Amino acid sequence: EDQVTQSPEALRLQEGESSSLNCSYTVSGLRGLFWYRQDPGKGPEFLFTLYSAGEEKEKERLKATLTKKESFLHITAPKPEDSATYLCAVRGSNYKLTFGKGTLLTVNP
Amino acid sequence: DTAVSQTPKYLVTQMGNDKSIKCEQNLGHDTMYWYKQDSKKFLKIMFSYNNKELIINETVPNRFSPKSPDKAHLNLHINSLELGDSAVYFCASSQPLASGRTGEQFFGPGTRLTVL
């Protein structure tokens, strides 16, 4: 069974304080690793897809990286508007998207 | 706007009632999904349809029945509602890509179901 573990569960940062979120996974036949952002009361919003080890994607202050066992979401100089829950998910050969429990990020001004 | 939409946004009902949640996507995707997000915010897949055909059916009580009248719509009907069914239900859609890869899933805004 595919599994995704995210750490930490919650992270508080000061504005401008860079950090990383971790997503460890086990999957049979990786068909994609996905990062989503979820704001309170809303549906998950797509951020990145990574398909193979060594791949990196960037968007504004966010950068996602992938190894064979984990993915990192690096946040550089975060702003309060980056506060949200960040979800990691993997899709394996069974076509299911398995989510982690998320990291709740709070960025204080 | 192109999007995944769900109705209703909120649904409050009594135990034992039957209710439906509707989902529509105008992204032209072939695959649609229903997810349940519990009180601990854990998002778990329930069903998936590809071109109106059921392809994923997780361990979900028989009281839950998805219906896909066409590939742009996927509805969720729930019979004999129980307290434990209270959660937020999300609809999503995606498009398969070449080489066995899968495109990202786009999620609807969610339906918060409260069973009293």
Side-chain angles (χ1 to χ4, degrees):
Chain A
E1 188 173 327
D2 301 340
Q3 288 191 338
V4 176
T5 303
Q6 291 188 245
S7 61
E9 288 187 11
L11 180 62
R12 283 186 176 274
L13 300 173
Q14 287 299 121
E15 185 172 1
E17 180 187 2
S18 301
S19 188
S20 296
L21 313 182
N22 177 264
C23 171
S24 298
Y25 66 91
T26 55
V27 64
S28 174
L30 182 68
R31 295 282 189 268
L33 183 141
F34 302 84
W35 281 99
Y36 285 84
R37 168 191 172 128
Q38 187 173 23
D39 293 300
K42 295 190 176 181
E45 176 188 345
F46 170 75
L47 293 174
F48 303 108
T49 310
L50 301 166
Y51 291 105
S52 54
E55 192 174 354
E56 298 182 352
K57 295 264 178 84
E58 282 189 69
K59 179 181 179 180
E60 296 181 355
R61 295 176 293 281
L62 300 177
K63 178 180 176 180
T65 62
L66 180 65
T67 72
K68 288 188 177 180
K69 293 184 178 181
E70 56 191 352
S71 176
F72 291 94
L73 184 65
H74 306 278
I75 303 175
T76 302
K79 298 182 177 181
E81 53 262 42
D82 294 322
S83 297
T85 296
Y86 289 85
L87 300 170
C88 173
V90 294
R91 180 181 287 264
S93 56
N94 62 6
Y95 300 105
K96 289 193 306 180
L97 198 62
T98 301
F99 279 86
K101 294 186 177 182
T103 293
L104 174 61
L105 175 67
T106 304
V107 182
N108 296 315
Chain B
D1 289 343
T2 55
V4 180
S5 58
Q6 294 179 229
T7 54
K9 174 80 171 168
Y10 299 96
L11 186 52
V12 181
T13 188
Q14 299 288 328
M15 263 197 320
N17 284 349
D18 302 338
K19 291 293 179 185
S20 292
I21 307 172
K22 295 185 176 182
C23 177
E24 176 181 3
Q25 57 94 4
N26 60 3
L27 298 164
H29 290 166
D30 289 335
T31 309
M32 296 184 71
Y33 312 81
W34 277 111
Y35 285 86
K36 179 179 181 180
Q37 190 169 45
D38 59 25
S39 56
K40 296 183 179 179
K41 308 299 182 185
F42 190 41
L43 199 61
K44 191 167 183 182
I45 190 159
M46 299 173 68
F47 303 104
S48 177
Y49 270 75
N50 186 60
N51 277 325
K52 301 195 299 176
E53 181 182 348
L54 183 65
I55 58 171
I56 295 175
N57 186 358
E58 289 297 284
T59 307
V60 176
N62 291 336
R63 299 181 294 101
F64 290 80
S65 54
K67 292 280 192 313
S68 181
D70 55 61
K71 74 174 193 178
H73 295 84
L74 180 62
N75 304 322
L76 183 65
H77 189 76
I78 315 170
N79 290 324
S80 304
L81 278 156
E82 299 179 357
L83 293 176
D85 297 333
S86 295
V88 181
Y89 293 84
F90 288 101
C91 177
S93 71
S94 71
Q95 191 73 351
L97 303 176
S99 305
R101 294 182 172 183
T102 304
E104 61 268 23
Q105 292 185 14
F106 291 84
F107 284 78
T111 295
R112 180 173 293 277
L113 172 65
T114 303
V115 183
L116 303 175

